[in-house]
Amino acid sequence: MTVRTRFAPSPTGYLHVGGARTALFNWLFARRMGGVFILRVEDTDEARNTDEARQAIFDGLGWLGMDWDEGPGKGGPCGPYFQSERKAIYDAWFEKLRAADRVYQDGGAWRFRFDRKPVTMNDLVCGEVTIDYRDESNTPDMVVRRSDGSYVFHFVNVVDDLEMGITHVIRGEDHLMNTPKHLQLIEAFGGTAPQYAHIPLILNQDGSKMSKRDEGAAVGDYPRQGFLPEAVVNFIALLGWSSKTDEEIFTTAELADRFSLEAVNRAPARFDIEKCRWVNQQHLARLDAAGFAAKAEEFVRGAGLPVGGDWPAAVALVRDRVRLLGEVPGEVGFLLTDRYADDPEAVAKVAGNPAATGLLENLASTLPGLPAIADAEAAKAVLKQIADAAGVKPGALMFPLRVALSGRAHGPDLGGMMVLLGNARCAERINRLVAKL
């Protein structure tokens, strides 16, 4: 049997991280089992569906690298893959229920007549769940077709799963109580039910349910901030799944190789945007210098900074200081242009050191006559020379020099900065700060 999973979003807004996690678990399971991953769009709510929301789903899944085997843009043997184009299919399946006397009219709508018995499902994550349909007051017959002729979610969801041969339904735990209804419909149709796996909800750190307004909820925000898609995939995979090891950083291929429903946790997952940034930092660290520079270039250019010459070396100098590519311009700007703002607090701290001005003046006058500083060791030697002449330790010069070269109190390796800027530019920046002091 070929495993067939599906992701069935409704295009009423942006792609939520919870929806992306559902899609990912279905995609990973299909890839792990050598199966088929289907994208179908539940777009029957004409009042709320938009083209922009539909495109956001396609763009979000594409950015994350979750390619679908059947669905919009790909086709397949079970189309159409938009529910809005499947009404004739739904009408035919509805007639099956009417022929079997399992539906009746009620105020213009059509209700499905439940079989009044306990229904037990064996969920692959939640275990055994039973709903007792013998008490009609708690489980009234459900509407499957509205008075305007449109069909409700439960009906079309089941029909589509049967028509598309879905073998495993992996979806959020909020759908758990819907499943016995779906099992009754499947039984009435004489179909074979897929296996169900209801994955845990995603909560905020404080235990509240994650909403569309919470930070990190919109998948479309991640690329703009400079997250790597493989890092976001890695992070959302950890929202409810565990490798059963101490490892947390995985490539997408490694996730597909290791994923299993048995390793999905029952407890709700806690969303932590700081953890997501940390995961991204680990993936950035795996890039080589050229790869990091290539991915950072869009953000550097977007900030209006010049990209040329030794800019990859400048970017490499700050890579350990950033968690997101969007942070690169703020860290590297002073290395790429002489037009940057000084931190007033850092300048004031240098001004409060009586020895700083003399040390900086001596360094500025010495640098132009020295050979080009080739590496960090050569930079240290120059600083030691100036410090020894003044009878102080080199550390006394480091903070004032850092502020002179960068305008800030913290930054990348001081020797690396001197190498990249060169003797003349270092002297110019030192003199500029001295003038302020």
Side-chain angles (χ1 to χ4, degrees):
M1 178 189 71
T2 300
V3 165
R4 291 173 63 83
T5 68
R6 48 76 165 176
F7 177 51
S10 178
T12 57
Y14 57 76
L15 179 60
H16 189 275
V17 70
R21 195 269 309 261
T22 297
L24 177 62
F25 281 17
N26 279 279
W27 185 86
L28 289 174
F29 186 70
R31 295 293 173 260
R32 175 80 169 81
M33 304 302 293
V36 175
F37 173 63
I38 299 167
L39 175 65
R40 74 169 187 246
V41 181
E42 297 188 346
D43 61 342
T44 54
D45 189 344
E46 295 182 8
R48 298 178 62 210
N49 294 333
T50 66
D51 291 338
E52 292 79 10
R54 187 180 297 109
Q55 192 60 47
I57 292 169
F58 300 157
D59 292 345
L61 293 179
W63 181 76
L64 291 168
M66 282 185 261
D67 53 318
W68 52 95
D69 304 299
E70 297 177 22
K74 294 287 183 72
C78 302
Y81 293 93
F82 291 95
Q83 283 187 344
S84 59
E85 300 173 3
R86 296 175 62 82
K87 189 175 185 302
I89 296 172
Y90 303 142
D91 287 343
W93 283 77
F94 177 76
E95 288 304 318
K96 293 182 181 182
L97 294 182
R98 190 152 66 170
D101 195 29
R102 292 300 299 270
V103 290
Y104 60 93
Q105 278 194 295
D106 178 17
W110 289 83
R111 290 185 178 272
F112 173 70
R113 185 178 289 110
F114 283 129
D115 195 351
R116 295 298 166 184
K117 63 181 181 181
V119 175
T120 298
M121 59 173 289
N122 291 296
D123 190 87
L124 296 176
V125 174
C126 301
E128 185 176 290
V129 178
T130 299
I131 299 293
D132 192 344
Y133 283 87
R134 290 175 296 187
D135 186 349
E136 191 171 347
S137 65
N138 290 331
T139 55
D141 292 340
M142 69 174 172
V143 171
V144 291
R145 184 175 180 177
R146 302 180 185 92
S147 57
D148 63 2
S150 63
Y151 295 97
V152 303
F153 159 79
H154 302 292
F155 180 84
V156 296
N157 189 272
V158 165
V159 169
D160 287 347
D161 284 345
L162 291 174
E163 278 267 329
M164 296 181 182
I166 302 301
T167 62
H168 293 77
V169 172
I170 305 170
R171 59 189 180 188
E173 191 178 291
D174 50 334
H175 285 291
L176 181 63
M177 291 299 102
N178 291 331
T179 304
K181 300 175 184 177
H182 298 176
L183 290 174
Q184 286 238 26
L185 274 171
I186 292 169
E187 183 179 57
F189 285 131
T192 300
Q195 291 184 276
Y196 291 92
H198 288 86
I199 56 182
L201 298 178
I202 299 176
L203 304 179
N204 290 313
Q205 284 294 93
D206 62 4
S208 61
K209 187 175 180 181
M210 193 174 188
S211 76
K212 292 184 176 181
R213 294 177 298 277
D214 290 323
E215 184 180 13
V219 171
D221 290 342
Y222 287 86
R224 290 191 287 269
Q225 294 175 27
F227 283 91
L228 298 176
E230 56 268 33
V232 177
V233 166
N234 186 164
F235 172 71
I236 62 177
L238 300 177
L239 294 174
W241 172 83
S242 169
S243 67
K244 305 302 181 184
T245 70
D246 293 334
E247 297 175 87
E248 291 189 292
I249 305 304
F250 303 98
T251 65
T252 302
E254 289 169 341
L255 288 170
D257 186 57
R258 297 191 186 201
F259 184 81
S260 72
L261 292 173
E262 290 79 11
V264 174
N265 302 319
R266 181 70 178 85
R270 297 293 178 110
F271 185 90
D272 183 352
I273 191 64
E274 290 301 314
K275 175 70 172 289
C276 188
R277 294 182 180 118
W278 175 81
V279 171
N280 195 69
Q281 187 177 39
Q282 305 312 302
H283 280 268
L284 288 176
R286 291 185 170 193
L287 298 173
D288 60 22
F292 183 81
K295 292 183 180 298
E297 183 172 352
E298 172 190 349
F299 296 89
V300 174
R301 289 186 182 276
L305 294 170
V307 175
D310 287 337
W311 86 270
V315 171
L317 196 61
V318 304
R319 66 179 296 172
D320 292 338
R321 297 182 53 79
V322 301
R323 295 180 298 173
L324 306 174
L325 292 170
E327 296 170 352
V328 172
E331 292 290 336
V332 80
F334 72 92
L335 290 171
L336 300 178
T337 176
D338 293 321
R339 300 176 63 182
Y340 58 88
D342 290 324
D343 177 4
E345 291 186 10
V347 173
K349 188 174 180 180
V350 175
N353 179 359
T357 300
L359 289 169
L360 289 173
E361 288 176 335
N362 289 341
L363 180 57
S365 62
T366 301
L367 280 172
L370 296 177
I373 297 173
D375 52 39
E377 289 303 315
K380 289 180 182 178
V382 172
L383 299 187
K384 186 176 186 305
Q385 175 186 335
I386 300 298
D388 287 347
V392 299
K393 293 182 178 180
L397 181 55
M398 287 183 176
F399 181 79
L401 178 58
R402 177 176 294 282
V403 176
L405 299 185
S406 68
R408 60 186 70 180
H410 306 283
D413 176 70
L414 187 58
M417 290 162 55
M418 294 178 70
V419 172
L420 281 169
L421 291 171
N423 295 19
R425 288 180 76 194
C426 285
E428 290 172 3
R429 292 186 179 197
I430 293 169
N431 285 328
R432 188 179 73 171
L433 178 61
V434 168
K436 285 189 175 184
L437 300 177

